[in-house]
Amino acid sequence: MRFCCRFGIAACRQYSSSGGGYPNVSLSTALPGIPKPIFASVDGHEKYETKITTLENGLRVASQNKFGQFCTVGILVNSGSRHETKYPSGIAHFLEKLAFSSTSQYGSKDEILLSLEKHGGICDCQTSRDTTMYAVSAEVKGLDTVVSLLADAVLQPRLLDEELEMTRMTVRFELEDLNMRPDPEPLLTEMIHAAAYWGNTVGLPRFCPVESVEKIDRKLLHSYLRSYYCPERMVLAGVGVEHERLLECARKHLLNVKPVWGMSTPGQVDCSMAQYTGGIVKMEKDMSDVSLGPTPIPELTHIMIGLETCSFLEDDFIPFAVLNMMMGGGGSFSAGGPGKGMFTRLYLNVLNRHHWMYNATSYHHSYEDSGLLCIHASADPRQVHSDRRKLISQVQKDTFRKRFFVFFFLALSLR
């Protein structure tokens, strides 16, 4: 009763037949009766601390040793779709698909995979809006081979005509699949970034536009690589390896290596800051002829609402990451036991109360100079206005008391 007097009767709504109450307290208010947390302290002799060393050419080497027979090593490049202001959009997408193809040492991707197979290894390349990562996981005893392969894949790609043509076919297929797949999340994420940062930095297309597929050739790729793939913009990172061993391999394979495109010209790098514009992007699609089986896909409207947040360099980054999980994002609904995710704010206050809501999920995107906190919801098209009001109301309760600027929404109508 004391709790109800302090926060009001509405804060003690009943959510179970057993008579127990769940306090509906704003996320900006501290829970009553919770003791002050006591955090663990380190003694200064942490065995597995992260070690960082900068080589003579500007390349940074970072490692964290872990117990085990396998390690993961990667080269991360400060390069992504946000840096394509002076180039046709889609170069980062192309480079992702061309990764681990033929190099100066390996005649084909099959040879690379065969070499890694001897050490139980696998390789992968992923690009985001601001980072490109080439990574290999293999046995620790094959570390020298792993670093040599990574250096060759990043600095010595052949970019043969047949590889470029195969990449064009792959990109076209991905674009077609992106527009036909039942899950609209990748397309919505692309659209909400375009609305939030219209025509600049992280608002530039992450996927290669159809009109750019034929424009991207070896000469254009070399021009881009010459500007952005320089040691000062790279980090060699390893987990499960000794720092001195990784440093030795880095000096051997990455210190005095001339890239296939010639000397780098980092002075041509685009250093534009993300400019938040806000706005609305809408798209209407006909999905009546798309189905995973005999049952047709439900006719739904998908809405995503976003707020500008902070960069991952600011102190508010961790609170926003926690807020994202509490709202119902990240791994809040991943495997982990019965009822996991059932007490997130979007489940309690949106899905649990409105039967016509098909989905409500939170997302948090963070970059070096800005960020976005988004909520994706799906409902019948007839409920779209009510759907939007419910989401905005929940965001206002739990987020507007934090730092924010402008909100915007976009709708994808599947009809």
Side-chain angles (χ1 to χ4, degrees), residues 77-80 83-87 91 95 154-155 218-234 259-271:
V77 189
N78 186 8
S79 165
H83 300 108
E84 296 172 356
T85 306
K86 302 177 182 178
Y87 299 88
I91 290 181
L95 291 174
V154 174
L155 300 177
R218 186 189 299 107
K219 182 179 179 181
L220 186 64
L221 291 174
H222 279 180
S223 174
Y224 180 86
L225 293 168
R226 194 176 298 116
S227 298
Y228 290 95
Y229 276 48
C230 51
E232 298 88 346
R233 300 178 63 85
M234 294 183 184
V260 69
W261 50 82
M263 294 301 296
S264 299
T265 54
Q268 300 180 7
V269 169
D270 177 53
C271 300

Side-chain angles (χ1 to χ4, degrees), residues 151-168:
D152 213 40
V154 174
L155 300 177
Q156 305 290 333
R158 290 185 178 178
L159 305 179
L160 302 176
D161 291 338
E162 52 266 31
E163 293 173 346
L164 289 170
E165 190 56 39
M166 182 63 68
T167 300
R168 292 188 183 98

Side-chain angles (χ1 to χ4, degrees), residues 2 29 70 106 108 141 157 170 189 273 306 324 327 334 348 362-363 365-366 369 389 391 409 413:
R2 184 182 305 170
T29 303
F70 282 79
Y106 301 92
S108 66
K141 62 183 181 181
T170 303
T189 301
M273 298 289 290
N324 179 50
M327 291 289 286
S334 63
L348 283 173
S362 175
Y363 298 93
H365 307 278
S366 191
D369 50 5
R389 284 198 303 269
L391 287 177
F409 80 95
S413 300

